[in-house]
Amino acid sequence: MYISTRGNHKPVTASQAICLGMVPEGGLFVPEQIPGLSMEEIRGMVDLPYPALAETILRYYLDDFSPEEIREATQAAYGTNFYHEDIAPVTVLEGLGAFLELYHGPTAAFKDMALQLTPRLLAKAMRKGESARELLILVATSGDTGKAALEGFKDVAGMHVACFFPDQGVSRAQELQMRTTDGKNTHVYGVNGNFDDCQNGVKEIFSDSGFNLALARKGWQLSSANSINWGRLCPQIVYYFYGYFSLVQAGRIAMGQPLHIVVPTGNFGNILSAWYAREMGLPIGKLICASNENRVLTDFFTTGHYDRRREFFKTSSPSMDILISSNLERFLFEMNGHDAELLRSYMQALGEKGEFTVERSLLKKMTDLLWAGSASEEEAAAEIRRIYLQWHYLIDTHTAVGAAVYDKYKAVTGDETPVVMDATASPFKFSKSVLEALDDAEMPEDLDELQIADALAVCTNTRNHPALEDLDRRPLLHERTIRMEDMQSIVEGITEGTSAS
Ligand SMILES: *Cc1c(COP(=O)(O)O)cnc(C)c1O
């Protein structure tokens, strides 16, 4: 069963948690108990191909799904939709570490790893409940989630997806990816605001009970594809097992040996999934939490004081430009021994004052297993250049933040434990920044980002990601940009068939 981090909801099944997305009264669903695996059980999974491994792991969590349902969903999600047969291949760079490439899905970012599966779980979960006829998925996106959700949900019967992204806050390729999405049930809007504004707008719509009741009367229900939905987090646990096993098979680590994980972090979903894998018994050592210049998490894990009242920086790793890391709530709840009352007080303070402080003992407990650091724009760019020059391996701007923070970790601690770094996006998704980093020079303003992708492919002799080719030749199907205040009425319009995007 799943319980609320704020103790304000009765326990629900996995399918209910997935349908609801978040706790309607505020709060997030977490598993009441995390399944613990023996080393024997873990060893038994070493050779499983990705879809079978996903099935095995998910069965521990999806309590009210049948094994057949889980198999169907995982086989479909990780069958033919990825551009790499290993789904999440690991590349080892001698003398540096390994990269877990999570970007071979249909939208070239790690969000596909979950979002190819979540809609299939959601469709099955909906059939279990007494639930609504039409489900509307609301997505606030800093770029990558949006497209991944649109691709995952498009043309799934009974589902609609509306995606809100910060206008001016995503890369050109990201914007084109979203605005060119086909499918009869997709809605895409630029919003005049930053990512936090989009996310807050969506959260407000979710927690407006009157509005939700009115939708329910019309047979509509809202849900979320953001990583606040357990159906997003849970599939991400799988690739940590897969990455670990790949390194065992490659003879890089022995079964049972600790492996550090480096995660370029935004909403704290990806790193939290690594924590769940660790709790289940996978021999993960430290979780290294990497932030860009929006270093609210680094400061928090250094001081115990979370303070969102600070300047918001637009960086070249936009999917990490976040000042409110939603999944931190889950981590705090787990680390403070499921003290929902304490959690409520933090979240209330965060909502009202924009800050909260945790006790020393809790901070210590967290930093015993998590190391946080941040990288500046210059440091991340230098890392792209260094890794390309030394290993002829291209990484994107987000992955670069992780790699740069890992350098700092090693410099500070001298720790030589084997490491795997999440490669969260294809470098071609952020070609302009990547090429500028390689050249150590600014691109002319008038060069189109898509031409730059071609240039990057040529100059590094690397193939562009297939999902990103031809982007500029697809028709723009969603051209609107809206005001923050209008998000709710747009949502209402979608349920009435009157909001074009
Ligand atoms: C979403 C995203 C992140 C941040 O992941 P979280 O789960 O939000 O911490 C990092 N890199 C890329 C490329 C992303 O799309």
Side-chain angles (χ1 to χ4, degrees):
M1 297 296 275
Y2 289 76
I3 55 174
S4 167
T5 49
R6 299 190 201 174
N8 53 359
H9 201 281
K10 62 180 194 313
V12 298
T13 62
S15 66
Q16 289 166 331
I18 291 171
C19 281
L20 285 167
M22 66 178 279
V23 181
E25 297 79 8
L28 302 175
F29 287 113
V30 294
E32 197 164 21
Q33 269 191 330
I34 298 168
L37 309 184
S38 69
M39 218 45 216
E40 274 328 291
E41 285 172 290
I42 293 177
R43 206 166 279 147
M45 300 175 188
V46 167
D47 297 320
L48 293 180
Y50 199 94
L53 181 63
E55 180 187 332
T56 308
I57 302 284
L58 289 176
R59 278 174 65 169
Y60 287 105
Y61 285 99
L62 303 181
D63 44 19
D64 62 338
F65 286 66
S66 72
E68 294 71 35
E69 286 174 319
I70 296 175
R71 175 166 316 145
E72 252 174 51
T74 49
Q75 293 288 339
Y78 305 114
T80 55
N81 302 341
F82 283 74
Y83 294 101
H84 196 292
E85 59 178 359
D86 293 342
I87 311 295
V90 170
T91 297
V92 178
L93 304 187
E94 217 55 64
L96 180 67
F99 286 94
L100 177 60
E101 296 177 0
L102 303 173
Y103 56 75
H104 294 284
T107 76
F110 96 93
K111 307 290 194 293
D112 289 327
M113 299 302 301
L115 276 167
Q116 281 298 304
L117 184 63
T118 313
R120 299 173 212 273
L121 297 178
L122 197 49
K124 292 185 194 301
M126 278 207 19
R127 266 180 250 133
K128 294 179 192 296
E130 70 284 7
S131 73
R133 289 190 310 275
E134 305 290 328
L135 198 66
L136 175 56
I137 311 295
L138 298 185
V139 190
T141 180
S142 50
D144 291 332
T145 308
K147 180 59 175 178
L150 290 163
E151 282 301 312
F153 283 95
K154 84 178 178 199
D155 293 332
V156 179
M159 307 232 174
H160 307 259
V161 51
C163 190
F164 300 94
F165 68 89
D167 193 46
Q168 316 291 327
V170 300
S171 83
R172 174 90 179 124
Q174 286 177 313
E175 178 173 5
L176 280 180
Q177 276 190 304
M178 288 188 273
R179 289 199 186 272
T180 58
T181 308
D182 55 0
K184 286 188 277 299
N185 59 345
T186 57
H187 305 266
V188 178
Y189 304 91
V191 176
N192 281 327
N194 62 30
F195 171 72
D196 289 315
D197 297 325
C198 296
Q199 179 157 265
N200 284 336
V202 163
K203 279 186 187 165
E204 268 169 37
I205 297 172
F206 275 122
S207 51
D208 183 334
S209 48
F211 181 67
N212 282 271
L213 208 59
L215 291 186
R217 287 206 197 91
K218 294 190 287 186
W220 284 70
Q221 187 188 323
L222 301 178
S223 188
S224 154
N226 280 86
S227 55
I228 53 177
N229 191 324
W230 179 251
R232 264 289 299 284
L233 278 188
C234 185
Q236 296 177 171
I237 298 169
V238 177
Y239 49 73
Y240 288 104
F241 281 84
Y242 194 78
Y244 189 92
F245 296 154
S246 300
L247 287 170
V248 170
Q249 281 169 337
R252 296 285 167 169
I253 52 174
M255 191 70 197
Q257 192 182 346
L259 175 71
H260 292 343
I261 311 272
V262 179
V263 188
T265 295
N267 229 352
F268 210 75
N270 201 359
I271 194 167
L272 187 69
S273 297
W275 180 82
Y276 278 107
R278 190 181 190 278
E279 278 300 293
M280 290 174 78
L282 189 69
I284 291 176
K286 286 254 175 193
L287 302 170
I288 297 169
C289 174
S291 303
N292 64 21
E293 291 177 352
N294 295 294
R295 43 172 287 150
V296 63
L297 286 171
T298 307
D299 292 342
F300 172 62
F301 286 115
T302 310
T303 64
H305 180 214
Y306 193 101
D307 193 347
R308 63 157 301 197
R309 302 163 304 171
R310 61 176 69 210
E311 192 182 344
F312 176 87
F313 297 106
K314 272 201 231 170
T315 72
S316 58
S317 43
S319 298
M320 299 162 65
D321 289 346
I322 289 176
L323 293 182
I324 302 180
S325 274
S326 300
N327 277 298
L328 182 63
E329 174 166 349
R330 285 187 163 109
F331 188 55
L332 290 169
F333 183 69
E334 297 290 357
M335 298 306 285
N336 79 6
H338 286 192
D339 185 341
E341 201 172 322
L342 193 55
L343 233 284
R344 270 202 305 275
S345 72
Y346 298 153
M347 292 303 132
Q348 192 175 353
L350 182 63
E352 287 167 5
K353 294 182 294 178
E355 55 152 354
F356 63 91
T357 305
V358 301
E359 300 64 27
R360 283 269 133 214
S361 55
L362 177 55
L363 180 64
K364 161 102 177 45
K365 204 171 161 199
M366 293 191 290
T367 51
D368 278 347
L369 50 100
L370 183 147
W371 194 90
S374 72
S376 68
E377 289 288 271
E378 294 73 27
E379 288 168 331
E383 196 68 10
I384 293 175
R385 189 163 59 246
R386 181 176 84 95
I387 291 180
Y388 180 72
L389 291 179
Q390 206 165 331
W391 287 275
H392 204 80
Y393 183 74
L394 266 190
I395 57 173
D396 93 293
T397 47
H398 302 75
T399 309
V401 169
V405 167
Y406 173 60
D407 284 347
K408 294 188 186 186
Y409 171 78
K410 259 198 11 189
V412 170
T413 63
D415 185 353
E416 295 285 340
T417 304
V419 68
V420 71
M421 294 177 258
D422 284 351
T424 52
S426 160
F428 289 95
K429 205 158 185 179
F430 302 94
S431 304
K432 183 168 187 284
S433 306
V434 171
L435 199 55
E436 283 176 351
L438 292 180
D439 265 11
D440 199 14
E442 295 239 337
M443 290 285 125
E445 273 303 322
D446 56 337
L447 258 188
D448 190 286
E449 193 168 304
L450 304 161
Q451 296 168 318
I452 298 177
D454 293 339
L456 180 62
V458 170
C459 95
T460 61
N461 197 13
T462 313
R463 182 167 175 216
N464 193 349
H465 193 291
L468 301 172
E469 290 170 339
D470 301 334
L471 258 187
D472 49 342
R473 286 188 285 279
R474 299 179 205 163
L476 278 181
L477 301 172
H478 312 273
E479 301 195 76
R480 281 182 74 185
T481 295
I482 62 166
R483 297 183 309 167
M484 252 149 53
E485 311 82 82
D486 295 335
M487 286 172 65
Q488 182 155 333
S489 60
I490 289 279
V491 168
E492 188 171 15
I494 291 171
T495 65
E496 285 162 2
T498 55
S499 280
S501 62

